[in-house]
Amino acid sequence: MSAPVDLIRADLRDFAGYRSARSDRLVGDVWLNANEAAWPNAADDGGVRRYPDPQPETLRTRLAALYDCRPEQLLAGRGSDEAIDLLVRAFCTPGQGAIVITSPTFGMYAVSAKLHGARVVDVPLVDDGRAFRCDIDAVADAALASNATLVFLCSPGNPTGDIVPLDAVRTLAERLDGRAIVVVDEAYQEFASAPSAITLQAERSNIVVLRTLSKAHALAGVRLGVAIGDADLIAVLRRCQAPYPLPAPCVTLVERALADEPLATTRARVTASVRERERLAEALREAPGMRCVYPSSSNFVLARFDDAQSAFDALLAAGVVVRDVRAQPGLGDALRITVGRPDENDRVIAALVGAVA
């Protein structure tokens, strides 16, 4: 099995990155090494005149416990978006590199690649009219043919809600050993019944998993996500990261949230969302002009309509804002509806079905 760091851009293999004033673990009680303000701002109630720790040890330890990995396997950043960007920077040579995606999927993979000058190779998901699935053989063939160094799998898929089975992820990682990193974006993993791809990393070191606190943990506003992978690979990503990626108030809030909210409470919130997801999907299947409501392992449902614009307008007239995904490949008649609280879902049902189920 090849080392994933062998796939790092050749010009970055000796790249040390920027060493900030907080990079060195120095001890002292008078801190004059970072050109910070000597007196605090009037709004400061938590020491924010100081630069924050780039990767706070307490935070990484708690996140590692949450995701069942070692702290050195984990990089915390500004949502999963930053991890995607760092992976593209580290593994794709500008103007030469390539990534593989499976549309319709999360748009930031292609955005990050295009901003970096990397090609985007698309292997569309297969839609049989009832569900979406990923053609793993076609993905592997495309990655090898294009010399792509990154393959992005969104599982559960956004906006499709589908799962990529772990056996398929394992097979893909085996075929691409020494050729590409398989990135499994698990932003919605807590809402799925399938196990995490983190469980494969002990046997396949070219798998990176992305997780976020934005969904199940109800912390979207703090913008904190993680990349989990081989420790040497994570060390490279850290060297490519901005000096101070984690604002101190956000870190404090996350540490408090992870310490104060029992895991059982998070699970109860997820269970309620899953229950409402199934109720909403069942009711929407009775809506006039409904073509298809796809099965979902996420906190949303994807639906196709005879007239998606009329459905979108009806929801807006009822004060309900949903995601219009018609611009995405193959989804010209579809809307993505996030699962809300029971009363919010009742409004969706009333607007589209005409009565609350």
Side-chain angles (χ1 to χ4, degrees):
M1 185 166 57
S2 300
V5 291
D6 293 341
L7 296 172
I8 296 292
R9 286 167 44 186
D11 58 322
L12 291 184
R13 288 174 189 167
D14 296 322
F15 178 62
Y18 176 76
R19 292 194 62 79
S20 70
R22 292 291 178 268
S23 298
D24 298 315
R25 298 292 179 178
L26 303 175
V27 177
D29 57 1
V30 177
W31 290 86
L32 303 177
N33 67 333
N35 299 337
E36 299 149 327
W39 291 271
N41 185 287
D44 180 9
D45 59 359
V48 294
R49 74 181 177 93
R50 298 290 188 189
Y51 286 111
D53 187 329
Q55 292 288 304
E57 185 175 346
T58 299
L59 175 68
R60 292 180 80 202
T61 299
R62 287 178 177 169
L63 290 170
L66 178 65
Y67 296 126
D68 195 21
C69 66
R70 302 190 311 276
E72 60 267 26
Q73 290 180 273
L74 180 148
L75 181 77
R78 293 162 290 186
S80 298
D81 299 335
E82 183 177 25
I84 293 165
D85 186 63
L86 290 173
L87 284 161
V88 172
R89 288 191 199 185
F91 287 95
C92 294
T93 302
Q96 301 176 31
I99 72 167
V100 174
I101 64 170
T102 59
S103 66
T105 192
F106 184 44
M108 285 306 298
Y109 314 138
V111 167
S112 292
K114 289 177 180 178
L115 288 173
H116 191 66
R119 287 180 296 123
V120 177
V121 179
D122 189 6
V123 182
L125 296 173
V126 178
D127 179 9
D128 64 8
R130 298 182 302 275
F132 287 89
R133 67 174 179 84
C134 180
D135 186 339
I136 287 295
D137 288 336
V139 169
D141 291 343
L144 293 171
S146 64
N147 291 318
T149 48
L150 292 171
V151 174
F152 286 96
L153 302 178
C154 196
S155 181
N158 175 18
T160 57
D162 63 298
I163 290 286
V164 181
L166 285 194
D167 284 346
V169 176
R170 179 189 289 109
T171 297
L172 181 62
E174 288 174 352
R175 283 197 62 187
L176 299 182
D177 182 33
R179 299 290 298 273
I181 303 297
V182 178
V183 184
V184 186
D185 187 345
E186 294 185 341
Y188 301 92
Q189 175 62 29
E190 289 88 350
F191 302 95
S193 57
S196 168
I198 294 171
T199 60
L200 299 177
Q201 291 180 326
E203 55 182 291
R204 304 308 319 172
S205 62
N206 63 329
I207 294 174
V208 172
V209 175
L210 307 182
R211 298 295 289 265
T212 180
L213 299 181
S214 296
K215 315 299 181 184
H217 294 273
L219 293 170
V222 303
R223 303 306 302 129
L224 197 143
V226 300
I228 302 167
D230 175 83
D232 290 338
L233 183 153
I234 293 300
V236 170
L237 295 185
R238 185 169 177 178
R239 295 199 295 270
C240 296
Q241 194 175 32
Y244 303 107
L246 304 174
C250 293
V251 170
T252 299
L253 195 154
V254 169
E255 290 179 347
R256 188 169 73 242
L258 294 179
D260 292 352
E261 179 171 283
L263 192 55
T265 302
T266 304
R267 288 173 177 161
R269 186 165 53 240
V270 169
T271 298
S273 291
V274 170
R275 183 172 58 247
E276 280 297 299
R277 180 187 73 201
E278 299 310 310
R279 181 176 78 91
L280 177 62
E282 183 178 357
L284 289 179
R285 291 188 178 100
E286 302 302 319
M290 182 65 68
R291 290 182 178 173
C292 175
V293 178
Y294 289 95
S296 175
S297 295
S298 303
N299 69 337
F300 57 81
V301 294
L302 179 70
R304 292 187 186 273
F305 298 83
D306 287 340
D307 187 345
Q309 186 62 54
S310 292
F312 188 76
D313 292 342
L315 288 164
L316 278 181
V320 178
V321 182
V322 301
R323 188 64 178 260
D324 186 348
V325 295
R326 287 177 289 170
Q328 292 211 32
L331 296 181
D333 57 359
L335 302 176
R336 191 194 71 189
I337 305 172
T338 302
V339 176
R341 298 187 303 270
D343 60 303
E344 295 171 327
N345 299 328
D346 285 345
R347 289 174 64 177
V348 172
I349 296 168
L352 296 179
V353 183
V356 176

